[in-house]
Amino acid sequence: MAYPERFRSIKNELEWLYMELYDNRDMLASLESSMEKYASERKNDLRKLDERRIDNPKWYLDSSMVAETMYTNLFAGTFKGIADKVSYLRQLGITYLHLMPFMKTPEKDNDGGFAVSDFLSTDDKLGTVNDVENLADVLRDNGISLCMDFVMNHTSDEHEWAIKAKKGDKRAQEMYITFPDRTIPDAYEKTVPEVFPETAPGNFIYSEEMGRWVLSTFYPKQWDLNYHNPAVFNSIVSAMMFWANKGVEVFRLDAVPYIWKELGTNCRNLPNVHTIVRMIRIILETVAPATILKGEVVMAPKELAAYFGTSDKPECHILYGVSSMVNIWGALASEDIRLLKYQIEDLLTLPPHAYFVNYVRCHDDIGWGFDENKESEIGIDPLLHKIYQYQFWAGKFPGSYAKGGIYNYDEKTLDARTVGTTASLIGLESYESDEEKEKAISRFRLIYSTVFALKGLPLINSGDEIGMLNDESYMLNKEKKDDSRYLHRPFFDWDKANNINLKGTVENRLFSILKVLEGIRKGSSLFSPDAEVFTWDSHNDKVFALRRRDGEKVLLAVFNYSHETQHAHFDYFTGIFKDLLTGKEAEPGIDVELSGYDVLFLTNYCD
C-alpha cells in the first residue's frame, strides 16, 4: 500500500482530531505537507521494511525479540563504536536496541540527555546524524531495530526557541507556557504535584532575561512545551518523521502523561494527551509504517489502559512495565509475592492489545510505588514497607546482601528511591563465599526469568549480562555528584565482556542464563503475542507462577522468591511436566519442590 492510499485511509480521522484540538486549517495543511514530504523522502530499504511491517503488524512482539537499553557513550563511546560492536549484540541475541537520549543537549544541566537543545541534531561527542543513519543501517542489516528516546514534554533552556523567547520573540515564547507574574503560576501550584520536591521544588522558574515565569515540571533548565500551540505539535511530529527516515524504528515517548497542561488540574493524564498520541500514531503509521511508539507512563495500572487506546483507535504499541519492575524487586526483598501477583493480575486484565516492555533495571531509579490500597488490604503498612525496601536495597537492613544507594530522600514524607546496578543489588558486589555467590547468581536467574516469562517484550539493561557493579566515581564529578542515579551508569567493561566465553566465570554464567531464556522463548508459540497468559495460584505466598497456553500446549513458569526451599502445588495441572531449564520432570498438580530462588519452566509440550 503506497503513501497516498494510506493517507486517504486516515485523512478524515486525522483532520477531525486536529481541528477539534487546534481549529487551525493553515497549520493542518502545513502538517499534511510535511507528511507528504517525509513520505516521499523515505529510502527504498525503509519502504520495503514498511511493507513487511504492514503485513506483520505485531513484529515487535515476536518470541525471538530481545531488547537491550544503553547509553551510547558508556557502551562504545560513539555511534560508530556501537556499529563496530554489532557482533557482540548479535551474540547476546539482541533484536531491538534502545539508545538513551542522543539529541543535542547543553554541556551542563542536561539531565543525562533529557534536556534537548535541538530535535534535529545529535550530541557532537557521540557523532553526527549521518552516523545515526549509518548505525541504523548496520543494525537493520543484522536484524536489530533501533529505538530512540524522544523527549516531547520539554526542551532545554538553550533550545533555539528558548533563546529567542528570552530575547522577547513572542512566537518563540508561545512555544512554552509562560506568565508575566505569579498569579496564574500560584493557581497552578495548588493542584499540580511536584515531581522532585527536594531537588527541584515547585513547577515554575523565573527567567530574568525574559522577565516571565516559565512552567518547568521536571528541572529548572527544562522548559515545558505548550501543546495548546499547533506549532509545537507540528514541530515535534516533524522531528519524529525526520528520525524515522534516518532508520529509527521505535520511539520511546518520554514523560508522555505530562504533555497537556490545564489550570485547575494535576496536569497528568489529561484527555488531550490521548488525542495527541493518537495523532502521532496515525501520522507515523502513514508516513513510516515500520515504526512503533513505546510510551513511558509511570502511573498506576488503572491509568495505563488509556495509553494503549482502543483496538480500533490504538495509541502506544507498547508501554514500559515500570510497576512490574518495582514489584519484582519488592517481592525479592520481602520474600513475599502477593503484591507482585496482584499487580501482574491487574496488568493482565487490561485490553488484549496491551503489551509491555518488561525489565529488571534501567537508567533510572527504582521508585517504590506500590498499590497502597492492596498493601493495607493484606496487612502491610505502606510507609513502613517503603522504608524497608529502600533501606534493604541500600544494605542498611540486617541480613541485606545489597549494595545499592538512596535517591531523592524526602525528610517530610520519608519517601526515597533506590539506585544501583542489578549485580550490586543482588549481592554480586559483596559476597564473601562461594555459597553467597551462588545465591546472587540464583537471584539473577530468578528475576530475569520472571521478566522473560511475562506478557510482552523482555529488555536487558546493558551491563547486566556481565555483572557490571556500581560505579562510585561519579561523586568525583561536580556535575554528577548530586545525582546518585549515576551510581548505576558505569562505563561498559569490555575486559569483563571478554569472559563471557570463559566457562565458570560470573560473566559466562550470567550471559548463559540470558541465552538459555532466549532459547526457550525463540520460535515457541507459547511466547507468541497471542498466547494466553495468566497468573496461577501456587498455594504459597513465596512462590509466584504464570501459566502460558497456546491451544493444547501449556507452560507453567514457577518462581521461588524465598532463599529457602519451598513447596507448591497447582490446581488443574495433571500429569507429568518437563522443566525446560533442567530437563527434570515434575507433577505440578501434586507437589513441586523448589530450592532457594529456584525457577522452573514446566511444559507438557516441547517445540
Side-chain angles (χ1 to χ4, degrees), residues 415-435:
D415 190 26
R417 307 176 187 190
T418 293
V419 292
T421 67
T422 295
S424 290
L425 291 175
I426 62 174
L428 275 171
E429 184 171 332
S430 57
Y431 71 85
E432 296 180 355
S433 68
D434 287 342
E435 181 183 4

Side-chain angles (χ1 to χ4, degrees), residues 92 96 270:
L92 182 55
Y96 168 128
L270 299 181

Side-chain angles (χ1 to χ4, degrees), residues 155-167 172 176 210 223:
T155 75
S156 82
D157 65 353
E158 293 185 20
H159 191 282
E160 179 186 13
W161 301 335
I163 292 171
K164 288 181 177 179
K166 293 173 186 177
K167 294 179 179 178
Y176 302 99
M210 190 165 51
W223 291 11

Side-chain angles (χ1 to χ4, degrees), residues 208-359:
E208 295 283 353
E209 303 96 320
M210 190 165 51
R212 296 178 70 87
W213 290 90
V214 184
L215 184 60
S216 181
T217 299
F218 290 89
Y219 290 106
K221 295 290 186 177
Q222 296 170 339
W223 291 11
D224 284 28
L225 288 167
N226 175 21
Y227 278 90
H228 290 257
N229 180 354
V232 169
F233 177 83
N234 285 15
S235 296
I236 291 299
V237 79
S238 291
M240 289 183 184
M241 291 187 286
F242 170 86
W243 286 110
N245 277 4
K246 300 303 177 186
V248 171
E249 298 177 32
V250 185
F251 290 92
R252 175 192 178 271
L253 304 182
D254 180 65
V256 67
Y258 298 81
I259 60 176
W260 190 269
K261 312 299 193 300
E262 288 287 354
L263 185 62
T265 73
N266 66 358
C267 295
R268 312 279 198 274
N269 306 306
L270 299 181
N272 285 337
V273 169
H274 301 289
T275 301
I276 289 171
V277 177
R278 175 62 184 156
M279 285 196 293
I280 292 173
R281 174 145 179 177
I282 290 171
I283 291 165
L284 286 180
E285 284 190 337
T286 305
V287 174
T291 60
I292 65 168
L293 301 177
K294 176 170 66 173
E296 186 220 15
V297 183
V298 187
M299 299 289 166
K302 66 181 180 180
E303 304 281 3
L304 301 180
Y307 288 90
F308 291 106
T310 61
S311 58
D312 60 330
K313 295 188 184 302
E315 295 177 23
C316 291
H317 295 76
I318 46 178
L319 297 183
Y320 260 131
V322 180
S323 58
S324 300
M325 179 269 295
V326 171
N327 280 279
I328 286 171
W329 288 105
L332 187 57
S334 301
E335 299 198 359
D336 183 335
I337 59 90
R338 287 178 294 172
L339 290 176
L340 173 61
K341 183 173 184 286
Y342 292 135
Q343 179 265 330
I344 296 298
E345 287 172 349
D346 282 346
L347 296 185
L348 292 175
T349 61
L350 295 176
H353 63 286
Y355 296 94
F356 291 87
V357 176
N358 302 304
Y359 60 98

Side-chain angles (χ1 to χ4, degrees), residues 372-483:
E372 294 189 358
N373 291 331
K374 185 59 68 174
E375 287 180 295
S376 298
E377 182 182 316
I378 62 178
I380 296 174
D381 183 291
L383 179 58
L384 292 180
H385 187 216
K386 182 181 294 186
I387 293 171
Y388 167 72
Q389 291 291 337
Y390 65 71
Q391 287 188 339
F392 180 92
W393 293 114
K396 296 183 178 181
F397 201 88
S400 172
Y401 44 76
K403 291 292 183 181
I406 290 177
Y407 174 67
N408 250 29
Y409 176 72
D410 188 329
E411 291 183 356
K412 297 177 183 176
T413 64
L414 300 181
D415 190 26
R417 307 176 187 190
T418 293
V419 292
T421 67
T422 295
S424 290
L425 291 175
I426 62 174
L428 275 171
E429 184 171 332
S430 57
Y431 71 85
E432 296 180 355
S433 68
D434 287 342
E435 181 183 4
E436 290 176 347
K437 180 178 74 171
E438 292 304 314
K439 287 182 179 179
I441 291 173
S442 294
R443 294 181 196 111
F444 180 90
R445 179 186 294 107
L446 172 71
I447 57 181
Y448 260 105
S449 296
T450 304
V451 160
F452 270 71
L454 294 174
K455 178 183 176 182
L457 170 69
L459 178 143
I460 300 166
N461 191 49
S462 178
D464 278 8
E465 74 274 18
I466 57 170
M468 291 285 293
L469 302 177
N470 289 339
D471 179 11
E472 296 188 354
S473 67
Y474 80 94
M475 291 187 287
L476 303 176
N477 185 321
K478 65 179 181 180
E479 299 296 329
K480 298 178 179 179
K481 64 181 179 66
D482 294 326
D483 187 343

Side-chain angles (χ1 to χ4, degrees), residues 98-110:
H98 172 191
L99 297 185
M100 295 302 294
F102 58 69
M103 290 187 281
K104 190 176 183 62
T105 62
E107 280 293 320
K108 299 179 180 180
D109 296 317
N110 59 31

